[in-house]
Amino acid sequence: MNFKLRVWRQEASEAKGRLVNYYATDVSPHTSFLEMLDIVNERLVEKGEDPIAFESDCREGICGTCSLTINGEAHGPDHPGAACQLYMRRFKDGATITVEPFRARPFRLVRDLVVSRSALDRIVQAGGFVSARSGSAPEANSIPVPKHDADLAMEAAACIGCGACAAACPNASAMLFTSAKVSHLALLPQGNAERTARVLRMVGQMDAEGFGNCTNTYECEAVCPAEISASFIAKLNREYALATLRKKSGM
Amino acid sequence: MIGELEAKVPAGPLETKWSGYKDHARLVSPANRRKLEVIVVGSGLAGGSAAATLGEQGYHVKCFCFQDSPRRAHSIAAQGGINAAKNYQNDGDSVFRLFYDTIKGGDFRSREANVYRLAEVSNLIIDQCVEQGVPFAREYGGLLANRSFGGAQVSRTFYARGQTGQQLLLGAYQSLCRQIDVGTVKMYSRTEMLDVVLVEGHAKGIITRDLTSGEIEVHAADAVVLATGGYGNVFYLSTNARGSNVTATYRAYKKGALFGNPCFTQIHPTCIPVSGQHQSKLTLMSESLRNDGRVWVPKTKGEQRSPAAIPEAERDYYLERKYPSYGNLAPRDISSRSAKEACDEGRGVGPGGRGVYLDFADAIARLGEPTIRERYGNLFDIYEKITGEDAYQQPMRIYPAVHYTMGGLWVDYNLMSNVPGLHVIGEANFSDHGANRLGASALMQGLADGYFVLPYTLPTYLAGQIGKRPSIDHPAFREAETDVRARIAKMIEVNGTRTVDSFHRELGLLMWDRCGMARNTAGLREALGRIPALREEFWRNVRIPGHGAEYNQSLERAGRVADYLEFAELMCIDALERDESCGGHFREEHQTPEGEALRNDEKFAAVFAWEFQGNGTIEPPRLHREPLHFESVELTQRSYK
Ligand SMILES: Cc1cc2nc3c(=O)[nH]c(=O)nc-3n(C[C@H](O)[C@H](O)[C@H](O)COP(=O)(O)OP(=O)(O)OC[C@H]3O[C@@H](n4cnc5c(N)ncnc54)[C@H](O)[C@@H]3O)c2cc1C
């Protein structure tokens, strides 16, 4: 298969970026999207040019490293899935494909298609945990958790932290990301003690990082490789309202 | 010069060694902990859990990872589960049984006392993770669920769908985040360690490169912990993440740390077969699938029919046939070799005949598709994404792939290498899995080391180190920094014609052919002849665009490949020296009449720990042996029949 690529090139955070044309020729349909970029890069290096910087690690959709917007969609057209799980057989032979980095105000561009998502780490640092010192835990089966709650918590916990939700959102909102962590921990008895403080701090941090508000466009849910449901955003809103109330009433 | 290898295993009966150790271990007072700095390189299960726990204890921790976030460490990709001796299924499990299975699974090439301790703390890990909010699978009654894994006859594996590693890592990551929040841990993401600094023989710091800016930095500390994972990517194609590397441990080796059993590699039986030349990695299909899937190949060579058209009588369920008591749950090394054998006989399936079927038809008929979907849905999805095939309708095709490295830096019972102050945890050390690791035991080891072992053993070293942290102005730091800079400059200056990846690929293929699932003298000697030549070409002809003072992925990879090009040689030397078969190390010269690994306990019941030799050159390494003494288990020919 043959493709024309339009790839975002930008040498550094402060440099000016632009779309540059490349050709990917003679690519097997069983090649993954990232492998196709590998092939393009090998040829660029052989010609003495700078390869396209893009990140990946596990290449099986779980580490959340890859951060490509492909033809305007975060992670490309094959939902649900990360860009590393996208295969060239999903495209028409001869197609033109535009590749850009995840864009959201709090994601600083590092180079070409690589961005920094440390803002997401800082949201988790603001309370996205259970304070359980090593060695302090009670026997694991001493607190039964209804299977339904555990399953639902798992659904929220499946978030891979890639940031596609914020990149896809017209307001660059990180509500889906934040709601997944808040919901995961709120659904389990172990997360209960810090529930109020957690949601208030995490939402505060999210705002401080410069992520926008949620206006219910559901773009986040559409691109989420881990199929995190937007209903968790509703849960986040409830948790937040409840916490605000509790805090006001001094509970 | 290194004296006798001392494992420092406490005296006394196996069952009380660890509790006895804890009762008498040295402590560091809270006031002194605040004065001590610990560097933890790695934020996977091992590094993440260690950094968080040491932070909780009040040490100042600096934690490093090369990914853009500690949550992306390769541990995130583990699928199947984590073992513990809880015996929740009431099927006869116990600490001793978990210990025994692990040591037997490792083909009696690991240290008894370490493995026993691992089994002992396994239960604490589950308690800890549940408390952190890890959403393990549960039964309808609300209690924790279990599944079986290879090499065991009990059901002791805890899991979170097919994403156990992700959930455990997020648990550790969240604990780490808590410590970052309170300021006991400082996190350095996108930062690669390029050397360890020794001051008067003690590990007292590291040299790093900020991968975003290219800046070289020095960090001093009172102790250094390496938790940098495994080196499976020496084979280029493996189930490991692209960034997994040997650099940290290899650099430490070149500074005098001994490398234990480097040739012990695990080839995992259930991976998606290679589909083409462009391939950048291999994808694991969790071993948990073997709980319900049946492995088979056609009985006749060159079979052309589709799997559904092959009648039962013409199928060979070879694992069930050869190992009736373990069947499809035979350990990994044995299952992998059996698959290779079937394919070598010309009975393999799929492109190139390098594949066997993993068939769920019976399980779906017995349990219904929804149950199978609930158990393995995400794995079936991954399979479909990669191959375009629906495994609910037709059997999966699988083939063995490099997966895990049991070898690693040699450590004593304290998890300290022979270099004082340099501790090594998780996959990066050699310690607990002998010549073959059982499924669901790497996650257990990583978290055992980080949450429950190192926090007790590190003070044994630190208690004597208060006030001894050198300043970064010490000449040892300058020297190491200069070396790191010089190496980078030299690499870029080559400006040849070949890409970094092309060297890596060539090395990988050579290692897979000659030092992979089966090894022999002639093949290993051939590899030992070719590796130096490839290395020489690398330093003469590699092309790295750009420069060092910028975000430069070619340079990052080049540094790792340069280390692999040296390390590969060490692996082959070790494989040649270990003139026996054991676990995943299969020397064709040594097999039983049925083709099983034939150990030689008299000569080789020992850890091979290699000491680097050379000064700017690479000389043949020097071998140290740690004899393995077995007091509580009897060495038997492993039998899973
Ligand atoms: C696909 C797959 C599935 C698996 N499934 C299971 C399973 O079901 N059960 C099980 O028990 N085991 C499983 N394993 C094995 C297990 O996941 C690993 O052995 C384990 O997670 C390793 O953890 P670790 O903390 O030692 O290293 P890693 O998780 O690999 O972490 C290494 C860390 O070190 C950092 N690092 C490395 N080099 C440097 C450097 N030079 N400078 C700075 N930082 C560095 C990395 O950034 C990372 O943070 C699986 C492995 C794979 C590949």
Side-chain angles (χ1 to χ4, degrees), chain A residues 60, chain B residues 41-47 64-67 70 73-82 149 191-193 227-230 239-240 244-245 247-248 284 332 403-404 425-428 437 439-444:
Chain A
E60 49 192 60
Chain B
V41 188
S43 65
L45 285 178
F64 298 80
C65 74
F66 65 75
Q67 288 92 348
H74 168 55
S75 294
I76 201 93
Q79 302 170 347
I82 176 165
F149 249 63
T191 306
E192 184 163 29
M193 166 195 151
T228 48
T239 64
N240 289 11
S244 300
N245 66 84
T247 291
L284 173 76
R332 292 178 174 175
H403 180 57
Y404 182 87
I425 59 177
E427 192 173 339
R437 176 175 70 79
S441 59
L443 302 184
M444 171 171 71

Side-chain angles (χ1 to χ4, degrees), chain B residues 317-359:
Chain B
Y317 293 90
Y318 58 84
L319 288 176
E320 296 171 26
R321 170 173 60 78
K322 295 200 308 197
Y323 308 101
S325 63
Y326 282 71
N328 293 296
L329 289 175
R332 292 178 174 175
D333 51 343
I334 289 177
S335 308
S336 291
R337 234 150 28 228
S338 297
K340 177 178 188 291
E341 227 173 76
C343 296
D344 288 348
E345 288 163 15
R347 300 193 291 141
V349 299
R354 289 277 137 195
V356 301
Y357 290 125
L358 179 64
D359 198 334

Side-chain angles (χ1 to χ4, degrees), chain A residues 42 55 89 121 139 181 184, chain B residues 88 133 173 190 385 499:
Chain A
E42 287 288 285
E55 270 190 315
R89 54 177 173 266
D121 286 325
E139 211 292 322
K181 190 45 61 196
H184 159 212
Chain B
Y88 284 162
Y173 161 75
R190 273 211 183 101
K385 274 200 185 288
T499 65

